[in-house]
Amino acid sequence: MTADVHANAGRAVGVQPTVRVHRVWKRFGSRDALAGVSLSVAPGECVALLGRNGSGKTTLVRILATLDTASEGEIDVAGLSLPREETAVRGKIGVVLDHSFLPRDLRLEEGLRFYGELYGVPSPLERARVLAAKFGLGTRLTDPVRTLSRGMAQRASLCRALMHDPPVLLLDEPSTALDADGCRLLVQTIREHAARGRSVLLVTHDLPLAAAAADRALLLRKGKVVAEGAAAGVCAQAESEGSVAA
Amino acid sequence: MNNSTASPTPTNGADLADGSVPGALPLTGGSPGRLFLPHALITVAALAFMNWLIIEHAPFGVKQIGASYLIAFYHVPSAILMGVAYTLVFAAGIMVLLTKSVEWDRRARAAAAAGLLANGIVLVTGSVWGKAAWNLWWNFQDPRLTTSAVIFLIYLAYFVLSRGIEDEAKRARICAIYGILALLAYMPVKYAVEWFGQGSHPPKVAMDGAQIRDTLNAGLLAFFFLYSLLYRWKYDLDTLRERSDAALARVRRLEDSRS
Amino acid sequence: MTSFRAWRVLVAWDFTREMRRKNTLVAMGMMALVTLFVFAFAIPTSSVELDQSRAGILWTTLLLAATVGIDRAFRADGEGRLLEGLLLSPVSRPTIYHARVASTLLFVLTIAVPSFGLFMLFFNQSVSAAALGWIALTALATLFGFVTLGVLLSSLTFSVRGGDVLLRVVLFPLLVPIFATAVDATSRAFDGGAPDARHAGLILAFDLTFLGAGHLLFDHGVKDLGPQG
């Protein structure tokens, strides 16, 4: 059973996984969005979670991001257990969802600085400038967020998630609306983050992105893990089954 | 763990009711409809007995307000049980938040339904008494009747809220919070009415005496049966509705996995 | 970071955002203005009847305007999604609630003051300084009560379809006690009397009850908003 493999995965290598999901269920009424999902992400690792629309990917990210709660199962993030220690977990995770969470009418730098302040970043404005420059938004810092294109808003969303340099990065479809250049930056960012011993959980149906950025991958179908292994292998399997095509 | 949803085995009702297996349908709530008829018969008998007491046993008229006081045998038990029912909504709401179980949401909703019926009877009987006493069907100057009307509105809104939310868990959570807030809003009103004076509500001293007490107790019992009957009816109906929804969803999943 | 510092950051952020477009203030102001006009046509001004109903007119106007602000606390311009951004941050849920109460109250008061001025103007009213003081105190305490309960209910209904109507359906009945008390107290102030201790007690009890309830229950309200907020 995949669940048991995962319970031992961390121990086998001798490192505590930063994200550990053990037999997690999420029910919406009588529908199971997640049906006993188990996975783990080790420090310095990027794990991709693949699956078509409605397979439960986003549900899992929202649970790990402490926005929703699991119906059943155990979850540890950065050594803290969910949902008991959720406030502490929030300081350890950076999350990209389908919205930038930056207010439309504020300037980009104001939005980023605000999140820096909330996370207790020492000099938030400096940090915002460094990140924006890195993601090619250096010249747009003083523009209102509403004037950014969708691709740029996605880059801004990545900046926001990285403001506090989180030990765990949760990315839900981060390549949405990104151009080739943006995707390259995204892969580079993920690899850099992992290289510094931090963890990334990448949720996507973008197979080339997963193959380029992730070490391992899992394939989710109807709330269950149906395949897992090295990123390239799982991506190939997903492609041949057509189970990722939206 | 053979009860997985992707490869369901043919199941009967007893199997479906097993909520302990991970992934099984969370079906709870006992067996709906059991002993419903006896309960209904007892209710009818108790109400008949109460009416017989009102006619034969209780004195026909008291000081100050005369025979119109007789409506109090409907009014007072309903008012007391209304408070009990709304307190149950409050308590069940706290249980929903603590246990995250939709079971308690059903209980809260059933208690709210029973409370609303009791509240309605309080309003109608109060209004009828008002017609006899002041020759007015409705009088906003009377703080107690007005308070009952506001409370009726508060719990009517409870059902509007509950109907407006589709997701079951979300509905349970939101209605639970509202049920808690509703009682919190209703408590100060109750006390405020006592502070601001009785209005034209008949004072309690007028309702004394052994025969009146007997009749009142019988009324309390009869109305308890009536409101608990409504509680069970609503609870069982919601349980059945939930089970049929769950069963339908399961059939749909079964069809999906075959196609 | 302490809760108080986080609270200040959140209030400042709400204020900065509102000052950019002022959508909520404009919506509330228009609601107040329109309501006053409707009353001006519905009720004969400068009459004996007006003296008896002026407190009610004032409070109906404030209630309707404040409800617009309360409704927009989480609904305005993708505000629901922005709330998710805050929920992701390591700031405690009660702090987020208290900050939203403070900023909403700030906006409501910003509209309440000129609305009162217009009310006095439209209906040819004049009051003594002492009465004005009592009315201001009553209004402050009552609007605070509106907002403590309203923000909590708004956090429950904003993610529901048809939530704007739902908010009013659940908010108005719960507000009746404090509303009626405020009308009574304001009516006495117009007539030159000080509010009763019972008025003050009831309004303060309401404020503290629902501030406490919001503190404890807001967390449950914003849990499991589900995908798409």
Side-chain angles (χ1 to χ4, degrees):
Chain A
M1 272 179 83
T2 48
D4 298 324
V5 174
H6 271 293
N8 297 323
R11 256 170 268 151
V13 215
V15 242
Q16 276 295 323
T18 23
V19 177
R20 195 179 70 90
V21 172
H22 185 61
R23 289 184 185 170
V24 163
W25 292 75
K26 177 68 179 180
R27 297 192 189 90
F28 290 110
S30 55
R31 190 174 67 83
D32 296 324
L34 294 175
V37 169
S38 297
L39 66 86
S40 63
V41 186
E45 192 184 30
C46 172
V47 172
L49 195 58
L50 310 170
R52 63 167 82 191
N53 292 349
S55 60
K57 293 173 302 184
T58 300
T59 305
L60 184 61
V61 174
R62 290 183 63 91
I63 290 172
L64 288 172
T66 75
L67 287 176
D68 296 350
T69 46
S71 310
E72 230 175 275
E74 293 165 34
I75 302 171
D76 295 324
V77 176
L80 301 158
S81 113
L82 278 181
R84 205 156 37 81
E85 298 166 290
E86 53 183 8
T87 309
V89 166
R90 285 178 195 127
K92 307 260 184 209
I93 54 174
V95 187
V96 170
L97 294 180
D98 59 336
H99 191 279
S100 72
F101 301 134
L102 298 167
R104 294 165 47 77
D105 295 323
L106 290 197
R107 290 195 289 270
L108 176 58
E109 62 176 11
E110 288 175 313
L112 292 177
R113 193 191 61 198
F114 166 74
Y115 280 102
E117 282 172 359
L118 276 194
Y119 282 90
V121 174
S123 46
L125 203 55
E126 281 310 301
R127 175 86 182 142
R129 287 191 180 130
V130 171
L131 282 172
K134 188 178 164 195
F135 283 92
L137 294 167
T139 56
R140 307 297 303 269
L141 270 168
T142 52
D143 293 348
V145 171
R146 66 170 180 277
T147 65
L148 300 181
S149 70
R150 279 189 59 208
M152 284 180 170
Q154 192 66 28
R155 292 175 189 219
S157 189
L158 278 161
C159 291
R160 177 190 51 72
L162 288 166
M163 278 300 285
H164 55 298
D165 194 17
V168 179
L169 200 52
L170 303 171
L171 307 173
D172 187 17
E173 305 293 358
S175 61
T176 309
L178 284 186
D179 53 16
D181 201 35
C183 281
R184 202 176 38 72
L185 261 168
L186 174 64
V187 173
Q188 188 194 331
T189 308
I190 292 173
R191 292 318 316 167
E192 274 175 20
H193 207 70
R196 288 192 297 126
R198 294 166 178 261
S199 305
V200 182
L201 182 67
L202 170 66
V203 173
T204 187
H205 55 242
D206 182 345
L207 293 178
L209 172 72
D215 303 297
R216 285 193 300 122
L218 290 90
L219 184 58
L220 211 58
R221 193 188 298 149
K222 287 183 184 163
K224 291 184 173 202
V225 177
V226 291
E228 73 168 301
V234 177
C235 288
Q237 187 190 343
E239 193 147 31
S240 68
E241 287 183 12
S243 53
V244 167
Chain B
M1 308 289 161
N2 56 3
N3 205 354
S4 82
T5 45
S7 56
T9 46
T11 47
N12 56 31
D15 207 8
L16 278 171
D18 184 3
S20 63
V21 181
L25 300 170
L27 294 179
T28 43
S31 45
R34 204 164 60 94
L35 295 180
F36 193 81
L37 193 64
H39 191 160
L41 290 175
I42 290 174
T43 305
V44 172
L47 283 171
F49 179 62
M50 177 195 74
N51 282 319
W52 178 80
L53 282 181
I54 292 173
I55 294 163
E56 296 293 330
H57 190 63
F60 188 78
V62 291
K63 267 186 295 186
Q64 296 166 326
I65 52 174
S68 73
Y69 95 100
L70 287 174
I71 199 139
F73 293 119
Y74 283 71
H75 184 82
V76 173
S78 293
I80 292 170
L81 292 169
M82 172 187 102
V84 172
Y86 289 157
T87 309
L88 283 177
V89 176
F90 174 84
I94 290 176
M95 290 309 291
V96 167
L97 297 183
L98 291 181
T99 64
K100 298 186 176 68
S101 145
V102 290
E103 169 94 26
W104 281 105
D105 181 44
R106 281 205 296 270
R107 291 195 179 124
R109 215 166 33 238
L116 209 55
L117 175 69
N119 203 335
I121 290 182
V122 166
L123 284 181
V124 171
T125 52
S127 171
V128 168
W129 184 83
K131 177 67 182 167
W134 322 306
N135 202 25
L136 281 175
W137 286 111
W138 191 261
N139 178 7
F140 266 114
Q141 302 305 311
D142 178 51
R144 290 215 174 205
L145 203 54
T146 311
T147 303
S148 303
V150 171
I151 294 168
F152 189 79
L153 218 56
I154 289 176
Y155 285 90
L156 205 59
Y158 178 94
F159 283 98
V160 176
L161 188 66
S162 142
R163 289 172 61 101
I165 307 166
E166 280 152 30
D167 180 65
E168 204 176 52
K170 189 172 185 171
R171 181 179 59 212
R173 200 163 38 79
I174 289 179
C175 288
I177 296 176
Y178 183 74
I180 292 168
L181 297 178
L183 194 78
L184 291 178
Y186 150 82
M187 291 307 270
V189 181
K190 215 167 123 42
Y191 290 112
V193 167
E194 325 235 296
W195 290 347
F196 285 111
Q198 299 272 325
S200 342
H201 197 269
K204 282 180 182 132
V205 281
M207 294 277 292
D208 225 12
Q211 289 148 324
I212 290 180
R213 239 188 345 262
D214 289 348
T215 314
L216 217 47
N217 285 337
L220 210 52
L221 200 66
F223 277 106
F224 172 76
F225 281 121
L226 178 68
Y227 298 133
S228 59
L229 186 72
L230 180 70
Y231 172 94
R232 288 217 28 207
W233 181 68
K234 176 78 179 149
Y235 180 81
D236 289 355
L237 209 63
D238 283 353
T239 306
L240 287 172
R241 190 172 294 142
E242 211 160 281
R243 283 188 186 183
S244 72
D245 284 354
L248 268 175
R250 185 166 249 210
V251 168
R252 225 169 285 133
R253 267 203 306 271
L254 193 58
E255 284 171 355
D256 278 359
S257 65
R258 280 193 181 149
S259 63
Chain C
M1 179 150 68
T2 65
S3 292
F4 180 65
R5 223 182 87 73
W7 180 84
R8 259 183 18 209
V9 170
L10 288 169
V11 175
W13 140 278
D14 285 349
F15 184 76
T16 315
R17 284 183 306 137
E18 180 57 29
M19 283 305 116
R20 255 340 117 74
R21 295 298 280 277
K22 306 183 185 67
N23 282 344
T24 299
L25 289 175
V26 168
M28 269 197 285
M30 275 310 290
M31 189 71 206
L33 198 61
V34 168
T35 312
L36 283 175
F37 261 99
V38 168
F39 274 123
F41 290 118
I43 289 176
T45 49
S46 67
S47 68
V48 187
E49 288 87 358
L50 183 67
D51 280 359
Q52 285 165 3
S53 50
R54 56 192 167 182
I57 294 170
L58 177 64
W59 274 105
T60 307
T61 306
L62 292 180
L63 174 71
L64 293 177
T67 307
V68 171
I70 287 165
D71 186 33
R72 289 180 61 90
F74 296 104
R75 193 188 306 280
D77 317 322
E79 197 61 53
R81 297 314 306 273
L82 288 181
L83 175 66
E84 276 185 14
L86 300 187
L87 296 177
L88 287 171
S89 74
V91 177
S92 77
R93 301 293 200 250
T95 308
I96 297 176
Y97 167 75
H98 289 298
R100 199 47 63 97
V101 166
S103 57
T104 308
L105 182 64
L106 189 69
F107 303 149
V108 168
L109 290 176
T110 308
I111 292 306
V113 172
S115 301
F116 179 73
L118 274 182
F119 164 81
M120 301 294 278
L121 193 80
F122 283 0
F123 296 96
N124 302 310
Q125 298 291 315
S126 59
V127 287
S128 67
L132 197 64
W134 284 123
I135 292 172
L137 262 181
T138 309
L140 184 67
T142 306
L143 292 173
F144 181 64
F146 283 13
V147 172
T148 53
L149 177 59
V151 167
L152 178 59
L153 287 174
S154 184
S155 77
L156 300 181
T157 54
F158 82 90
S159 63
V160 178
R161 205 151 39 84
D164 51 342
V165 179
L166 220 46
L167 172 71
R168 285 155 176 89
V169 167
V170 294
L171 179 61
F172 288 170
L174 291 180
L175 284 182
V176 166
I178 190 173
F179 179 83
T181 314
V183 171
D184 211 33
T186 308
S187 189
R188 288 174 62 125
F190 271 126
D191 295 339
D196 208 283
R198 287 179 299 196
H199 289 124
L202 202 71
I203 293 175
L204 287 178
F206 188 98
D207 289 359
L208 292 177
T209 304
F210 289 107
L211 191 67
H215 184 95
L216 292 172
L217 297 175
F218 181 73
D219 179 25
H220 293 283
V222 294
K223 225 179 254 169
D224 289 285
L225 291 171
Q228 308 311 315

